[in-house]
Structure formats: structure tokens, C-alpha cells
Amino acid sequence: MMEFFTALAEQSFLQSAVIAGVLASIACGLIGSYVVVMRISYLAGGIAHSVMGGMGIAYFLGGSPFVGALIAAVISALIIGLVKLYWQAREDTLIGALWASGMALGIIFISQTPGYQVDLMSYLFGNILLVAEDDLWLMAGMDVVIVGAIALLYRPFQAVAFDPEFARLRGLPVNLLYLLLLCIVALTVVLLIQVVGLILVIALLTLPAAIAGHYVRTLSSLMALATLLGLGFTSTGLALSYGPDLPAGATIILLAAGCFVISSLFSARKKSMQSPETPRK
């Protein structure tokens, strides 16, 4: 652990990795709370895995895979959201089709990219140590957009998340807010891909908020605690992976998953101790 902190003071790539973890954790805590409350992790999973197609096309055309992922994520979010709202009978089929075809399309385009071959492992499982400075600025800009949207639409989003029927009766544009929220989820997914990759992105999006849900009851508290937990997981995971040269993304997720299991057991035991004993016959 001390080796990591010594290297952190000297190595710019480690400093960039920590900054990337901070930026990802902010979005992770804010949007992951909505994903957990609304139980739409499967929708987020469909969005996450469909972005591979956009990344592959961007690579093939010589553009930024980050921008390709962003465009593909937003398009997928709108398609999935519209099907969820107006064509629920085929929702799971469409998500599965987008999930599989996006991955396949990305692999095909990357394999046909002239001149060099891209390491797919870095996109599937992430490599926070290779985040470029330009990507950090783009991540920071996306964070500003996400925080700004949450600040402006906190109460409408809260109404849609907890009671959409009541929100509709209040005259709120529920469908539009739902689609906008999915687009923000898409932005967050692209942010987290930089840290843990496509395969593990849903875990980092949901685990901090799920753990926070064991201890707090308000949405604002959930967001705050989930953000702090995300910061803890990303920074500690980086430190733990540095010495033995382990994959940083996978280490971050294993740390978060372990804490989730421990927290779930602790929360279940606490509830059982607080519940009244069943009267004997």
C-alpha cells in the first residue's frame, strides 16, 4: 500500500487514474441511486453492452472510441426507453438483441481496423491506468452535465423514480423525464467504462448505491453515501492492485462486491435482531 502512495506522488498516470476514479464516482453515486431505486439495472446493462458497436465504428473510422461510445449509448438509451414505454411486450427481447448485436458489431469493426489491432480486454474489463488527459477533460464535462441535470430536475426525477403515476397526475411529463434519465444513465455508463470496462460497469453503477441503501432512507443521502463509497472503492482498489500488478478494474469490483456481501449480512442480522420475537403457542 505504501508503495502505491509513493508512486502516486511521482507518476502522472497514477494521478490521472485517481482523478478518473473521482470523476466516475460522482456520476456513479448520483445516477446509480436512481438505477437502484427504479430497479432498471437490466436497462443500464443493455445500454452498456450496446456501446461496443459505437466504439468499434469510431475506431474503424479513425475517431475517438470515447465519442463513439457516447453516441451509441444515447441512441441505445432512447431506443430502449421508447420500447419500455410503448412496447413492453418485446422489451426483454430488444434489450438482448441490442446487447448481443452491439458487442458483435464492435468486435467486427475493431477486427477490420487497418494498421493495428486493438486490445479488446482493455474495453471489456477496463484499464483506468491508461486514461488520457483528454478523456479526463471529457469525463469532467460529462460530470458537469450530469450534476447540472440532477440539480435542476431533482424533484421531478424523484417523483418519476418513486411514484410515476402520482407524477403523471401532477402534470409532469413522465415519459420525457424517463427518457432523459435514461440518457443520463448512458452518459454515466460511458464514464464508468473508462474505469472498469463494459463487463463490470453495471457492478460499479449499482453496488455503491445498493450498499448505501442499507443505511439511509432519503434519495439525497443515498446519493451522497454512494458517491463516497464509489470514491473509496476506486481509490482503494487502485492501491490494492498496484503492488501485485492486478487488473485495477476487476480489483475495484471485487472490493465493492465483498463490501456488498458483508453489508447485506450485517443489515439482515440487524433487522432480525430488531424484529419482535414470534410469540410461542
Side-chain angles (χ1 to χ4, degrees):
M1 189 73 77
M2 289 305 299
E3 181 184 0
F4 170 77
F5 289 108
T6 301
L8 181 61
E10 302 173 351
Q11 302 292 340
S12 60
F13 76 92
L14 280 180
Q15 296 166 6
S16 295
V18 171
I19 294 172
V22 171
L23 294 174
S25 298
I26 293 171
C28 165
L30 295 176
I31 302 304
S33 298
Y34 286 112
V35 171
V36 170
V37 167
M38 298 173 69
R39 299 180 180 179
I40 56 172
S41 58
Y42 66 108
L43 294 180
I47 294 170
H49 290 82
S50 65
V51 304
M52 190 71 174
M55 296 171 75
I57 293 172
Y59 247 120
F60 184 78
L61 297 177
S64 167
F66 197 98
V67 175
L70 181 60
I71 294 172
V74 172
I75 292 174
S76 299
L78 291 174
I79 293 173
I80 291 173
L82 290 170
V83 170
K84 168 73 174 177
L85 292 171
Y86 302 110
W87 200 28
Q88 289 189 10
R90 295 292 181 267
E91 176 190 355
D92 56 341
T93 305
L94 178 74
I95 292 174
L98 283 174
W99 188 310
S101 60
M103 294 284 288
L105 190 65
I107 291 172
I108 287 174
F109 271 95
I110 288 174
S111 70
Q112 296 302 306
T113 300
Y116 61 94
Q117 294 296 316
V118 179
D119 181 13
L120 285 177
M121 294 293 288
S122 64
Y123 289 110
L124 294 178
F125 296 99
N127 196 338
I128 191 174
L129 299 176
L130 296 180
V131 176
E133 184 177 347
D134 290 343
D135 289 339
L136 288 178
W137 283 109
L138 189 53
M139 291 174 74
M142 292 167 67
D143 259 350
V144 170
V145 172
I146 291 170
V147 172
I150 297 298
L152 289 173
L153 298 170
Y154 177 78
R155 291 193 179 278
F157 279 160
Q158 185 180 32
V160 171
F162 285 98
D163 196 341
E165 292 305 320
F166 177 74
R168 190 172 279 107
L169 291 174
R170 290 282 303 273
L172 292 175
V174 173
N175 291 355
L176 180 61
L177 288 169
Y178 180 77
L179 292 175
L180 179 58
L181 190 56
L182 282 187
C183 288
I184 299 175
V185 170
L187 295 182
T188 306
V189 162
V190 176
L191 272 172
L192 298 182
I193 284 173
Q194 298 291 304
V195 178
V196 294
L198 290 172
I199 303 298
L200 305 175
V201 66
I202 299 305
L204 190 58
L205 186 64
T206 56
L207 287 176
I211 295 171
H214 293 154
Y215 307 102
V216 297
R217 290 292 174 265
T218 64
L219 182 60
S220 57
S221 299
L222 186 69
M223 289 178 170
L225 183 54
T227 300
L228 292 176
L229 288 170
L231 287 169
F233 294 145
T234 53
S235 57
T236 305
L238 270 171
L240 291 174
S241 65
Y242 182 77
D245 195 24
L246 298 172
T251 304
I252 291 169
I253 296 305
L254 283 177
L255 176 63
C259 290
F260 174 73
V261 171
I262 294 171
S263 179
S264 298
L265 293 173
F266 176 78
S267 179
R269 180 171 176 77
K270 185 178 179 181
K271 288 180 180 179
S272 66
M273 292 177 65
Q274 291 177 346
S275 61
E277 293 184 3
T278 305
R280 299 178 179 177
K281 293 183 180 180

